Each structure stands twice: as C-alpha cells, then as structure tokens.
C-alpha cells in the first residue's frame, strides 16, 4: 500500500467517522426538540446529501486522473 492510498483510506474513514458522530448528535437534538416533521426531513436531507457530494468528488477525480 502506497502512502497516497493510505492517506486516501484514512481520509475516507476519518470523514465517515466524523459524519457518524454528526448524525448521532443531530438525531439526539431532533429527538429532544419539538421540530415539525417537515423540518426534520430537510435536516436529514441536507445531512445525507453532503457525503454524496464528497463521494461524487472522489469519483470525478478518479475518472479525470486517467
């Protein structure tokens, strides 16, 4: 395993762990709040679309690096 592969793996796992902690924190806040269901939907939508952008960035970089 090269240094670049190790750094990429560490970045992906680190960002994944960070998102897991963010999801747990937001879940706890939304559980205790009296936010309407529509508002909760948009909180989760934004939270789960942000990793999709990160994955799309990795895929685009892979295909442009050829």
């Amino acid at each position: 395993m090269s240094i670049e592969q190790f750094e990429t793996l560490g970045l992906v796992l680190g960002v994944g762990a960070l998102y897991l902690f963010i999801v747990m924190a937001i879940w706890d806040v939304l559980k205790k709040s009296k936010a309407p269901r529509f508002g909760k939907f948009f909180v989760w939508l934004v939270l789960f679309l942000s990793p999709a952008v990160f994955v799309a960035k990795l895929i685009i970089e892979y295909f442009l690096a050829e």
Side-chain angles (χ1 to χ4, degrees), residues 9-37:
L9 181 64
L11 177 66
V12 170
L13 292 177
V15 170
L18 179 64
Y19 270 97
L20 178 65
F21 287 124
I22 291 171
V23 166
M24 291 188 315
I26 290 177
W27 179 62
D28 186 50
V29 168
L30 289 176
K31 187 171 67 170
K32 293 177 182 177
S33 74
K34 296 184 189 301
R37 174 173 249 157

Side-chain angles (χ1 to χ4, degrees), residues 19-66:
Y19 270 97
L20 178 65
F21 287 124
I22 291 171
V23 166
M24 291 188 315
I26 290 177
W27 179 62
D28 186 50
V29 168
L30 289 176
K31 187 171 67 170
K32 293 177 182 177
S33 74
K34 296 184 189 301
R37 174 173 249 157
F38 190 67
K40 290 179 184 180
F41 170 76
F42 277 103
V43 168
W44 291 119
L45 179 69
V46 169
L47 184 66
F48 287 116
L49 282 179
S50 55
V53 173
F54 181 74
V55 170
K57 175 188 156 295
L58 290 175
I59 292 171
I60 291 168
E61 285 179 349
Y62 176 77
F63 284 114
L64 290 179
E66 291 182 354

